[in-house]
Amino acid sequence: MPNLSNAETPRSRAPWWFTLAGQLLQSWVRIRRDPAEPATLLQAGVPVCYVIERDGFSDALILQRACREAGLPSPMQPLAGTRRRRSVFALARRDGWLFGRIRSRPPNEPLGQLVHSLEGFPERDIQIVPVSIYVGRAPNRDTGWFRVLFSENWVMVGRFRRLLALLLNGRDTVVHFSAPVSLRSVLDESGDIAPERFARKIARVLRTHFRRIRTAVVGPDLSHRRTVVDSVLNAEPVRAAIAASAAKEKISHAKAWRKAHKLVLEIAADYSHPVVRSVSFLLSNFWNKLYDGIAMHHFDKARAVAPGHEVVYVPCHRSHADYLLLSYQLHVSGVVVPHIAAGVNLNLPVIGPILRRGGAFFMRRSFKGNALYSVVFNEYLAQLIDRGVPMEYFIEGGRSRTGRLLAPRAGMLVMTVRAFLRAPRRPVLFQPVYIGYEKLMEGNSYIGELSGKPKEKESLLGFLRGLKVLRQRYGHVALNFGEPIELNPLLDATGADWRAASGDPDAKPEWLGTVVDQLAERIQVNINRAADVNPINLLALVLLATPKHAMAESDLLAQLELNKALLEELPYSDRVTLTPMNPAGIIAYGEQMGWIQRVKHPLGDVLTVSGEQAVLLSYFRNNVLHLTATAAWVACCFLNNRRMARATVVRLGTLIYPFIQGELFLPWDSDGFAAQLEATLDFFVRRGLLESRSEGRTIERGPGQEDSAFQLKVIARGLIQAFERYYITLAALAKHGPHTITGAELETACTLTAQRLGLLNELSAPEFFDKALFRGFIQKLREQRIVWTDEAGKLDYDGALEGMVRDARVILSRDVRHSILKITQGSGEKEPPAGGDAAEQVA
């Protein structure tokens, strides 16, 4: 390693008493460096000067040890080229030895000395390294409740309290080294500025830097909840809403004010560092009993871009455990716990106050008809953003009952964007997070709700009854951090002068809806681009694609290997993670988790899934269905056709793509999807599942009895039910005819048809008759101008609908089409002539 040390002289050694104190402290302090190898940040041969937040004896000891262990220059030696006896200085100091007031250190003292040392020596430079030291930040299983009282926070504590913090929490000490700043480069960029003024400017920059790092690690400097409540009530929009409420309801202003005050208290979080630390201590044991492991992927990328931004975490919503898992993992990883938007239904006795002190703020499901509540909630959200408080909310609106991402509900996004426009001081960063489970605590209740049972309301009694699920094990959990989305570039892309709307709390520019829709779409796409493929996902993809949810072990091993190869050779994105288990290990793990059962047989064992387990397993298939959508489309083309023109596969794929994209939040545009189709065809040809003929212009599969045809059929089953839903919608439209049915009536008719078809065919996929999926398809038909609403509110369409019906015949078998048409009582459509190859006709 290059020599990074400052000049060594006999007086560079630390005093004997300093060395002795360091040895005494060593048994109490365990240091974790961030990054682990800070020497890689420094430039060789340039003197190093460290800067810390506070002028504390213990901080100097910790810094000295951290530098020694990392192979960095000692902070206790003289700084080469200057008159400074030490290579470290602090921004703040305390007067007096035992007691005394804290005051900011005059910036012209150390910084001025450094600047003067460079005058007249243009070749000389000094690299300033900000170092943040946190005692008691990272909890572990051994952390006791009493220790949280002395954990790191925003208060600049005295020497006695710091000593207690070291004794109690010294083993959880984090030393964060930031990237060095070249003093020469900054001085050259500043021009002819006076040295004293330059020193003050650097000091301000350093204070801002330390505050930003502390905000990211410890959390924002939150004042008392009462201060936030007062700020909301004193805001001009809320005062106007109070006056309007008093006039409308004919009540006194004081009564209207008390009403608003009550609403703020209902909403506002009451964040408490001791409570967060205490709960994290309890959760560490809880997670170890519940899960076999919690993994985070791409978190370092997310943490690197977070400083300086208002971070809004937008995870998918699978389970009530999502709230706690993400907050806990962020906390133990050294990142502040976000304030979480929770439904007011979770504000239960005992549970609600704990959640509130953990950062939860509560919101009603609907703001309709309550103007005062709407204004108060919007102002509270604006206050959080203005104070730089990280937030978390689920744009799906509720937990997914099917395992798919739900269509986004943009209410919180609209409020966030408008709050930023009002005071665009800190750029907003949306951080998508994919959460993947191997077993769900709510699995049985989800299936019941999809089957028509009413959703059980949250209650304390229900919570206590639900504790029985804690006796099970739920495998592993993955939290994958997707590519973050910055709000400013989206606003800039509108072409409008969005900054003109700044400062106006009532501004609703015309382009706002477009920006929010684009933002919501990108969040969902980036969540899917960060999927984690676990063993249960792979087993579900394969076994649920067979009629009886059973497969010979040899076939299952081959299909699992094919699916893994597909995901590895044609990666969906660079943030998708895939289980390292081999096919045999995946099967063994599925048996261990109780998802699949082995049936012994002399001719070879069979792996099977029971009926109830198959329904539950469909949830985990749907988590990753988007990853195989391209391959499933190609395989679908060869379900009922031996050969197709390559161009036909691509052409029909691009026609159907907008509907698949809208349902699965796929990331490509039309040309990108066509390229994926080409790459997938090449993959299947390389694997021998398809054959290329006529110099690649025609693609052909083998006879139906061959293994290659069987493997293609299994892959195709992942998408075939989506095409069946599409055909149900088209058939129902054709049956009723134009100008006869509304969109809502069509949704109901399609749902009933799908339910009946599911009963007749014993489908194990409750989402097959999910009304939301039909609603999304009908909306896409509107967007593509295949159907539209007439003046009477009825649906109308033209010949393009018939073209879609023709294309559907390429994919769906005659039997499936006949079953759908029979249930819809016939649509008057004519089947293609017997013996004809539908694919060749379409081509």
Side-chain angles (χ1 to χ4, degrees), residues 469-501:
V469 302
L470 305 183
R471 288 177 283 187
Q472 302 181 40
R473 299 288 291 188
Y474 292 90
H476 294 79
V477 183
L479 279 73
N480 284 11
F481 288 78
E483 184 179 349
I485 303 163
E486 294 188 40
L487 179 58
N488 279 18
L490 276 178
L491 294 172
D492 292 337
T494 63
D497 185 12
W498 60 268
R499 289 179 175 82

PDB file of all heavy atoms in Angstrom, residues 469-501:
ATOM      1  N   VAL A 469     -49.682 -17.838  14.807  1.00  0.00           N
ATOM      2  CA  VAL A 469     -48.867 -18.060  13.606  1.00  0.00           C
ATOM      3  C   VAL A 469     -47.384 -17.954  13.918  1.00  0.00           C
ATOM      4  O   VAL A 469     -46.545 -18.408  13.119  1.00  0.00           O
ATOM      5  CB  VAL A 469     -49.234 -17.057  12.490  1.00  0.00           C
ATOM      6  CG1 VAL A 469     -50.692 -17.174  12.126  1.00  0.00           C
ATOM      7  CG2 VAL A 469     -48.890 -15.621  12.896  1.00  0.00           C
ATOM      8  N   LEU A 470     -47.044 -17.379  15.066  1.00  0.00           N
ATOM      9  CA  LEU A 470     -45.642 -17.213  15.420  1.00  0.00           C
ATOM     10  C   LEU A 470     -44.989 -18.521  15.825  1.00  0.00           C
ATOM     11  O   LEU A 470     -43.777 -18.582  16.012  1.00  0.00           O
ATOM     12  CB  LEU A 470     -45.500 -16.182  16.551  1.00  0.00           C
ATOM     13  CG  LEU A 470     -46.125 -14.806  16.284  1.00  0.00           C
ATOM     14  CD1 LEU A 470     -45.853 -13.883  17.451  1.00  0.00           C
ATOM     15  CD2 LEU A 470     -45.590 -14.210  15.000  1.00  0.00           C
ATOM     16  N   ARG A 471     -45.792 -19.578  15.948  1.00  0.00           N
ATOM     17  CA  ARG A 471     -45.219 -20.872  16.290  1.00  0.00           C
ATOM     18  C   ARG A 471     -44.602 -21.576  15.085  1.00  0.00           C
ATOM     19  O   ARG A 471     -43.980 -22.616  15.220  1.00  0.00           O
ATOM     20  CB  ARG A 471     -46.296 -21.767  16.925  1.00  0.00           C
ATOM     21  CG  ARG A 471     -46.681 -21.340  18.334  1.00  0.00           C
ATOM     22  CD  ARG A 471     -47.785 -22.183  18.907  1.00  0.00           C
ATOM     23  NE  ARG A 471     -49.097 -21.818  18.344  1.00  0.00           N
ATOM     24  CZ  ARG A 471     -50.252 -22.326  18.782  1.00  0.00           C
ATOM     25  NH1 ARG A 471     -50.256 -23.221  19.750  1.00  0.00           N
ATOM     26  NH2 ARG A 471     -51.385 -21.946  18.246  1.00  0.00           N
ATOM     27  N   GLN A 472     -44.789 -21.019  13.900  1.00  0.00           N
ATOM     28  CA  GLN A 472     -44.238 -21.625  12.691  1.00  0.00           C
ATOM     29  C   GLN A 472     -42.922 -20.950  12.305  1.00  0.00           C
ATOM     30  O   GLN A 472     -42.564 -19.910  12.836  1.00  0.00           O
ATOM     31  CB  GLN A 472     -45.232 -21.487  11.534  1.00  0.00           C
ATOM     32  CG  GLN A 472     -46.591 -22.099  11.798  1.00  0.00           C
ATOM     33  CD  GLN A 472     -47.516 -21.934  10.601  1.00  0.00           C
ATOM     34  OE1 GLN A 472     -47.103 -22.072   9.457  1.00  0.00           O
ATOM     35  NE2 GLN A 472     -48.779 -21.623  10.869  1.00  0.00           N
ATOM     36  N   ARG A 473     -42.218 -21.595  11.358  1.00  0.00           N
ATOM     37  CA  ARG A 473     -41.029 -21.000  10.768  1.00  0.00           C
ATOM     38  C   ARG A 473     -41.376 -20.554   9.355  1.00  0.00           C
ATOM     39  O   ARG A 473     -42.118 -21.223   8.650  1.00  0.00           O
ATOM     40  CB  ARG A 473     -39.877 -22.008  10.721  1.00  0.00           C
ATOM     41  CG  ARG A 473     -39.434 -22.514  12.072  1.00  0.00           C
ATOM     42  CD  ARG A 473     -38.682 -21.481  12.865  1.00  0.00           C
ATOM     43  NE  ARG A 473     -37.377 -21.176  12.295  1.00  0.00           N
ATOM     44  CZ  ARG A 473     -36.483 -20.405  12.904  1.00  0.00           C
ATOM     45  NH1 ARG A 473     -36.751 -19.858  14.068  1.00  0.00           N
ATOM     46  NH2 ARG A 473     -35.322 -20.144  12.336  1.00  0.00           N
ATOM     47  N   TYR A 474     -40.829 -19.415   8.941  1.00  0.00           N
ATOM     48  CA  TYR A 474     -41.218 -18.827   7.662  1.00  0.00           C
ATOM     49  C   TYR A 474     -40.048 -18.666   6.694  1.00  0.00           C
ATOM     50  O   TYR A 474     -40.111 -17.860   5.775  1.00  0.00           O
ATOM     51  CB  TYR A 474     -41.903 -17.475   7.904  1.00  0.00           C
ATOM     52  CG  TYR A 474     -43.236 -17.644   8.586  1.00  0.00           C
ATOM     53  CD1 TYR A 474     -43.337 -17.634   9.971  1.00  0.00           C
ATOM     54  CD2 TYR A 474     -44.400 -17.858   7.857  1.00  0.00           C
ATOM     55  CE1 TYR A 474     -44.556 -17.815  10.609  1.00  0.00           C
ATOM     56  CE2 TYR A 474     -45.615 -18.037   8.476  1.00  0.00           C
ATOM     57  CZ  TYR A 474     -45.694 -18.015   9.852  1.00  0.00           C
ATOM     58  OH  TYR A 474     -46.911 -18.212  10.481  1.00  0.00           O
ATOM     59  N   GLY A 475     -39.000 -19.469   6.899  1.00  0.00           N
ATOM     60  CA  GLY A 475     -37.910 -19.479   5.943  1.00  0.00           C
ATOM     61  C   GLY A 475     -37.110 -18.190   5.923  1.00  0.00           C
ATOM     62  O   GLY A 475     -36.930 -17.522   6.939  1.00  0.00           O
ATOM     63  N   HIS A 476     -36.639 -17.842   4.746  1.00  0.00           N
ATOM     64  CA  HIS A 476     -35.793 -16.665   4.573  1.00  0.00           C
ATOM     65  C   HIS A 476     -36.597 -15.503   3.981  1.00  0.00           C
ATOM     66  O   HIS A 476     -37.611 -15.706   3.331  1.00  0.00           O
ATOM     67  CB  HIS A 476     -34.613 -16.978   3.649  1.00  0.00           C
ATOM     68  CG  HIS A 476     -33.647 -17.966   4.221  1.00  0.00           C
ATOM     69  ND1 HIS A 476     -33.887 -19.324   4.221  1.00  0.00           N
ATOM     70  CD2 HIS A 476     -32.428 -17.793   4.811  1.00  0.00           C
ATOM     71  CE1 HIS A 476     -32.862 -19.953   4.784  1.00  0.00           C
ATOM     72  NE2 HIS A 476     -31.966 -19.049   5.154  1.00  0.00           N
ATOM     73  N   VAL A 477     -36.104 -14.310   4.220  1.00  0.00           N
ATOM     74  CA  VAL A 477     -36.691 -13.090   3.660  1.00  0.00           C
ATOM     75  C   VAL A 477     -35.592 -12.322   2.939  1.00  0.00           C
ATOM     76  O   VAL A 477     -34.451 -12.279   3.405  1.00  0.00           O
ATOM     77  CB  VAL A 477     -37.308 -12.195   4.761  1.00  0.00           C
ATOM     78  CG1 VAL A 477     -37.972 -10.972   4.150  1.00  0.00           C
ATOM     79  CG2 VAL A 477     -38.309 -12.969   5.586  1.00  0.00           C
ATOM     80  N   ALA A 478     -35.939 -11.724   1.808  1.00  0.00           N
ATOM     81  CA  ALA A 478     -34.982 -10.895   1.060  1.00  0.00           C
ATOM     82  C   ALA A 478     -35.539  -9.491   0.893  1.00  0.00           C
ATOM     83  O   ALA A 478     -36.715  -9.314   0.568  1.00  0.00           O
ATOM     84  CB  ALA A 478     -34.696 -11.509  -0.304  1.00  0.00           C
ATOM     85  N   LEU A 479     -34.695  -8.500   1.141  1.00  0.00           N
ATOM     86  CA  LEU A 479     -35.023  -7.104   0.871  1.00  0.00           C
ATOM     87  C   LEU A 479     -34.046  -6.611  -0.189  1.00  0.00           C
ATOM     88  O   LEU A 479     -32.857  -6.444   0.081  1.00  0.00           O
ATOM     89  CB  LEU A 479     -34.901  -6.241   2.138  1.00  0.00           C
ATOM     90  CG  LEU A 479     -36.067  -6.261   3.130  1.00  0.00           C
ATOM     91  CD1 LEU A 479     -36.117  -7.581   3.889  1.00  0.00           C
ATOM     92  CD2 LEU A 479     -35.937  -5.123   4.124  1.00  0.00           C
ATOM     93  N   ASN A 480     -34.551  -6.429  -1.399  1.00  0.00           N
ATOM     94  CA  ASN A 480     -33.718  -5.984  -2.510  1.00  0.00           C
ATOM     95  C   ASN A 480     -34.011  -4.518  -2.821  1.00  0.00           C
ATOM     96  O   ASN A 480     -35.164  -4.155  -3.059  1.00  0.00           O
ATOM     97  CB  ASN A 480     -33.976  -6.832  -3.756  1.00  0.00           C
ATOM     98  CG  ASN A 480     -33.317  -8.196  -3.668  1.00  0.00           C
ATOM     99  OD1 ASN A 480     -32.836  -8.599  -2.618  1.00  0.00           O
ATOM    100  ND2 ASN A 480     -33.306  -8.906  -4.767  1.00  0.00           N
ATOM    101  N   PHE A 481     -32.976  -3.699  -2.817  1.00  0.00           N
ATOM    102  CA  PHE A 481     -33.132  -2.274  -3.075  1.00  0.00           C
ATOM    103  C   PHE A 481     -32.971  -2.016  -4.574  1.00  0.00           C
ATOM    104  O   PHE A 481     -31.927  -2.325  -5.157  1.00  0.00           O
ATOM    105  CB  PHE A 481     -32.114  -1.471  -2.263  1.00  0.00           C
ATOM    106  CG  PHE A 481     -32.422  -1.439  -0.800  1.00  0.00           C
ATOM    107  CD1 PHE A 481     -32.139  -2.531   0.012  1.00  0.00           C
ATOM    108  CD2 PHE A 481     -33.027  -0.337  -0.224  1.00  0.00           C
ATOM    109  CE1 PHE A 481     -32.448  -2.517   1.360  1.00  0.00           C
ATOM    110  CE2 PHE A 481     -33.334  -0.312   1.125  1.00  0.00           C
ATOM    111  CZ  PHE A 481     -33.058  -1.401   1.920  1.00  0.00           C
ATOM    112  N   GLY A 482     -34.040  -1.481  -5.176  1.00  0.00           N
ATOM    113  CA  GLY A 482     -34.032  -1.223  -6.601  1.00  0.00           C
ATOM    114  C   GLY A 482     -33.339   0.074  -6.951  1.00  0.00           C
ATOM    115  O   GLY A 482     -32.833   0.812  -6.089  1.00  0.00           O
ATOM    116  N   GLU A 483     -33.309   0.368  -8.231  1.00  0.00           N
ATOM    117  CA  GLU A 483     -32.691   1.610  -8.701  1.00  0.00           C
ATOM    118  C   GLU A 483     -33.511   2.801  -8.232  1.00  0.00           C
ATOM    119  O   GLU A 483     -34.715   2.872  -8.477  1.00  0.00           O
ATOM    120  CB  GLU A 483     -32.603   1.594 -10.225  1.00  0.00           C
ATOM    121  CG  GLU A 483     -31.896   2.803 -10.810  1.00  0.00           C
ATOM    122  CD  GLU A 483     -31.812   2.748 -12.315  1.00  0.00           C
ATOM    123  OE1 GLU A 483     -32.109   1.676 -12.881  1.00  0.00           O
ATOM    124  OE2 GLU A 483     -31.468   3.766 -12.930  1.00  0.00           O
ATOM    125  N   PRO A 484     -32.889   3.757  -7.542  1.00  0.00           N
ATOM    126  CA  PRO A 484     -33.649   4.908  -7.022  1.00  0.00           C
ATOM    127  C   PRO A 484     -34.107   5.830  -8.144  1.00  0.00           C
ATOM    128  O   PRO A 484     -33.549   5.827  -9.250  1.00  0.00           O
ATOM    129  CB  PRO A 484     -32.650   5.603  -6.093  1.00  0.00           C
ATOM    130  CG  PRO A 484     -31.308   5.190  -6.603  1.00  0.00           C
ATOM    131  CD  PRO A 484     -31.473   3.816  -7.166  1.00  0.00           C
ATOM    132  N   ILE A 485     -35.128   6.620  -7.843  1.00  0.00           N
ATOM    133  CA  ILE A 485     -35.726   7.525  -8.825  1.00  0.00           C
ATOM    134  C   ILE A 485     -35.689   8.934  -8.246  1.00  0.00           C
ATOM    135  O   ILE A 485     -36.282   9.199  -7.201  1.00  0.00           O
ATOM    136  CB  ILE A 485     -37.174   7.120  -9.137  1.00  0.00           C
ATOM    137  CG1 ILE A 485     -37.229   5.675  -9.639  1.00  0.00           C
ATOM    138  CG2 ILE A 485     -37.802   8.062 -10.152  1.00  0.00           C
ATOM    139  CD1 ILE A 485     -38.620   5.072  -9.589  1.00  0.00           C
ATOM    140  N   GLU A 486     -34.987   9.838  -8.917  1.00  0.00           N
ATOM    141  CA  GLU A 486     -34.932  11.230  -8.479  1.00  0.00           C
ATOM    142  C   GLU A 486     -36.099  12.001  -9.076  1.00  0.00           C
ATOM    143  O   GLU A 486     -36.432  11.833 -10.253  1.00  0.00           O
ATOM    144  CB  GLU A 486     -33.605  11.864  -8.894  1.00  0.00           C
ATOM    145  CG  GLU A 486     -32.395  11.265  -8.186  1.00  0.00           C
ATOM    146  CD  GLU A 486     -31.128  12.043  -8.470  1.00  0.00           C
ATOM    147  OE1 GLU A 486     -31.208  13.289  -8.503  1.00  0.00           O
ATOM    148  OE2 GLU A 486     -30.077  11.420  -8.663  1.00  0.00           O
ATOM    149  N   LEU A 487     -36.709  12.844  -8.271  1.00  0.00           N
ATOM    150  CA  LEU A 487     -37.882  13.582  -8.718  1.00  0.00           C
ATOM    151  C   LEU A 487     -37.520  14.727  -9.662  1.00  0.00           C
ATOM    152  O   LEU A 487     -38.233  14.974 -10.643  1.00  0.00           O
ATOM    153  CB  LEU A 487     -38.637  14.121  -7.504  1.00  0.00           C
ATOM    154  CG  LEU A 487     -39.897  14.944  -7.787  1.00  0.00           C
ATOM    155  CD1 LEU A 487     -40.903  14.131  -8.601  1.00  0.00           C
ATOM    156  CD2 LEU A 487     -40.534  15.417  -6.488  1.00  0.00           C
ATOM    157  N   ASN A 488     -36.420  15.410  -9.404  1.00  0.00           N
ATOM    158  CA  ASN A 488     -36.077  16.595 -10.209  1.00  0.00           C
ATOM    159  C   ASN A 488     -35.965  16.302 -11.707  1.00  0.00           C
ATOM    160  O   ASN A 488     -36.503  17.051 -12.523  1.00  0.00           O
ATOM    161  CB  ASN A 488     -34.778  17.227  -9.690  1.00  0.00           C
ATOM    162  CG  ASN A 488     -35.030  18.104  -8.476  1.00  0.00           C
ATOM    163  OD1 ASN A 488     -36.058  17.990  -7.832  1.00  0.00           O
ATOM    164  ND2 ASN A 488     -34.087  18.966  -8.153  1.00  0.00           N
ATOM    165  N   PRO A 489     -35.260  15.232 -12.120  1.00  0.00           N
ATOM    166  CA  PRO A 489     -35.196  14.957 -13.568  1.00  0.00           C
ATOM    167  C   PRO A 489     -36.563  14.696 -14.187  1.00  0.00           C
ATOM    168  O   PRO A 489     -36.801  15.064 -15.344  1.00  0.00           O
ATOM    169  CB  PRO A 489     -34.301  13.713 -13.649  1.00  0.00           C
ATOM    170  CG  PRO A 489     -33.461  13.776 -12.420  1.00  0.00           C
ATOM    171  CD  PRO A 489     -34.351  14.349 -11.370  1.00  0.00           C
ATOM    172  N   LEU A 490     -37.466  14.062 -13.428  1.00  0.00           N
ATOM    173  CA  LEU A 490     -38.811  13.839 -13.952  1.00  0.00           C
ATOM    174  C   LEU A 490     -39.531  15.164 -14.167  1.00  0.00           C
ATOM    175  O   LEU A 490     -40.227  15.357 -15.169  1.00  0.00           O
ATOM    176  CB  LEU A 490     -39.616  12.967 -12.983  1.00  0.00           C
ATOM    177  CG  LEU A 490     -39.444  11.450 -13.077  1.00  0.00           C
ATOM    178  CD1 LEU A 490     -40.287  10.771 -12.012  1.00  0.00           C
ATOM    179  CD2 LEU A 490     -39.826  10.942 -14.449  1.00  0.00           C
ATOM    180  N   LEU A 491     -39.367  16.082 -13.220  1.00  0.00           N
ATOM    181  CA  LEU A 491     -39.996  17.398 -13.365  1.00  0.00           C
ATOM    182  C   LEU A 491     -39.375  18.181 -14.517  1.00  0.00           C
ATOM    183  O   LEU A 491     -40.074  18.852 -15.278  1.00  0.00           O
ATOM    184  CB  LEU A 491     -39.865  18.178 -12.057  1.00  0.00           C
ATOM    185  CG  LEU A 491     -40.628  17.614 -10.851  1.00  0.00           C
ATOM    186  CD1 LEU A 491     -40.257  18.378  -9.590  1.00  0.00           C
ATOM    187  CD2 LEU A 491     -42.124  17.673 -11.073  1.00  0.00           C
ATOM    188  N   ASP A 492     -38.057  18.085 -14.651  1.00  0.00           N
ATOM    189  CA  ASP A 492     -37.389  18.785 -15.745  1.00  0.00           C
ATOM    190  C   ASP A 492     -37.858  18.271 -17.102  1.00  0.00           C
ATOM    191  O   ASP A 492     -37.941  19.028 -18.071  1.00  0.00           O
ATOM    192  CB  ASP A 492     -35.870  18.624 -15.631  1.00  0.00           C
ATOM    193  CG  ASP A 492     -35.296  19.348 -14.419  1.00  0.00           C
ATOM    194  OD1 ASP A 492     -35.947  20.305 -13.942  1.00  0.00           O
ATOM    195  OD2 ASP A 492     -34.215  18.946 -13.946  1.00  0.00           O
ATOM    196  N   ALA A 493     -38.146  16.956 -17.173  1.00  0.00           N
ATOM    197  CA  ALA A 493     -38.542  16.348 -18.448  1.00  0.00           C
ATOM    198  C   ALA A 493     -39.927  16.789 -18.898  1.00  0.00           C
ATOM    199  O   ALA A 493     -40.302  16.558 -20.054  1.00  0.00           O
ATOM    200  CB  ALA A 493     -38.491  14.824 -18.343  1.00  0.00           C
ATOM    201  N   THR A 494     -40.702  17.401 -18.010  1.00  0.00           N
ATOM    202  CA  THR A 494     -42.038  17.849 -18.409  1.00  0.00           C
ATOM    203  C   THR A 494     -41.973  18.992 -19.420  1.00  0.00           C
ATOM    204  O   THR A 494     -42.935  19.231 -20.147  1.00  0.00           O
ATOM    205  CB  THR A 494     -42.843  18.333 -17.186  1.00  0.00           C
ATOM    206  OG1 THR A 494     -42.190  19.478 -16.611  1.00  0.00           O
ATOM    207  CG2 THR A 494     -42.960  17.227 -16.149  1.00  0.00           C
ATOM    208  N   GLY A 495     -40.830  19.661 -19.456  1.00  0.00           N
ATOM    209  CA  GLY A 495     -40.705  20.796 -20.354  1.00  0.00           C
ATOM    210  C   GLY A 495     -41.307  22.063 -19.799  1.00  0.00           C
ATOM    211  O   GLY A 495     -41.122  23.151 -20.341  1.00  0.00           O
ATOM    212  N   ALA A 496     -42.051  21.927 -18.705  1.00  0.00           N
ATOM    213  CA  ALA A 496     -42.686  23.099 -18.098  1.00  0.00           C
ATOM    214  C   ALA A 496     -41.743  23.706 -17.052  1.00  0.00           C
ATOM    215  O   ALA A 496     -40.820  23.055 -16.559  1.00  0.00           O
ATOM    216  CB  ALA A 496     -44.000  22.704 -17.439  1.00  0.00           C
ATOM    217  N   ASP A 497     -41.976  24.944 -16.727  1.00  0.00           N
ATOM    218  CA  ASP A 497     -41.187  25.610 -15.691  1.00  0.00           C
ATOM    219  C   ASP A 497     -41.793  25.264 -14.333  1.00  0.00           C
ATOM    220  O   ASP A 497     -42.566  26.025 -13.752  1.00  0.00           O
ATOM    221  CB  ASP A 497     -41.187  27.119 -15.929  1.00  0.00           C
ATOM    222  CG  ASP A 497     -40.278  27.846 -14.928  1.00  0.00           C
ATOM    223  OD1 ASP A 497     -39.503  27.161 -14.230  1.00  0.00           O
ATOM    224  OD2 ASP A 497     -40.367  29.081 -14.841  1.00  0.00           O
ATOM    225  N   TRP A 498     -41.412  24.072 -13.849  1.00  0.00           N
ATOM    226  CA  TRP A 498     -42.038  23.609 -12.615  1.00  0.00           C
ATOM    227  C   TRP A 498     -41.635  24.467 -11.417  1.00  0.00           C
ATOM    228  O   TRP A 498     -42.360  24.527 -10.423  1.00  0.00           O
ATOM    229  CB  TRP A 498     -41.701  22.144 -12.355  1.00  0.00           C
ATOM    230  CG  TRP A 498     -40.238  21.819 -12.207  1.00  0.00           C
ATOM    231  CD1 TRP A 498     -39.380  21.434 -13.181  1.00  0.00           C
ATOM    232  CD2 TRP A 498     -39.472  21.844 -10.992  1.00  0.00           C
ATOM    233  NE1 TRP A 498     -38.123  21.211 -12.676  1.00  0.00           N
ATOM    234  CE2 TRP A 498     -38.153  21.444 -11.331  1.00  0.00           C
ATOM    235  CE3 TRP A 498     -39.751  22.150  -9.670  1.00  0.00           C
ATOM    236  CZ2 TRP A 498     -37.125  21.357 -10.388  1.00  0.00           C
ATOM    237  CZ3 TRP A 498     -38.733  22.058  -8.722  1.00  0.00           C
ATOM    238  CH2 TRP A 498     -37.448  21.661  -9.096  1.00  0.00           C
ATOM    239  N   ARG A 499     -40.501  25.114 -11.509  1.00  0.00           N
ATOM    240  CA  ARG A 499     -40.073  25.966 -10.382  1.00  0.00           C
ATOM    241  C   ARG A 499     -40.977  27.179 -10.215  1.00  0.00           C
ATOM    242  O   ARG A 499     -40.991  27.816  -9.166  1.00  0.00           O
ATOM    243  CB  ARG A 499     -38.628  26.396 -10.575  1.00  0.00           C
ATOM    244  CG  ARG A 499     -37.641  25.244 -10.391  1.00  0.00           C
ATOM    245  CD  ARG A 499     -36.208  25.683 -10.618  1.00  0.00           C
ATOM    246  NE  ARG A 499     -35.279  24.593 -10.330  1.00  0.00           N
ATOM    247  CZ  ARG A 499     -34.984  23.626 -11.184  1.00  0.00           C
ATOM    248  NH1 ARG A 499     -35.540  23.607 -12.384  1.00  0.00           N
ATOM    249  NH2 ARG A 499     -34.135  22.667 -10.858  1.00  0.00           N
ATOM    250  N   ALA A 500     -41.747  27.479 -11.260  1.00  0.00           N
ATOM    251  CA  ALA A 500     -42.678  28.601 -11.147  1.00  0.00           C
ATOM    252  C   ALA A 500     -43.802  28.304 -10.172  1.00  0.00           C
ATOM    253  O   ALA A 500     -44.440  29.218  -9.636  1.00  0.00           O
ATOM    254  CB  ALA A 500     -43.267  28.926 -12.525  1.00  0.00           C
ATOM    255  N   ALA A 501     -44.066  27.014  -9.937  1.00  0.00           N
ATOM    256  CA  ALA A 501     -45.112  26.626  -8.983  1.00  0.00           C
ATOM    257  C   ALA A 501     -44.596  26.589  -7.549  1.00  0.00           C
ATOM    258  O   ALA A 501     -45.373  26.359  -6.620  1.00  0.00           O
ATOM    259  CB  ALA A 501     -45.673  25.254  -9.358  1.00  0.00           C
TER     260      ALA A 501
END
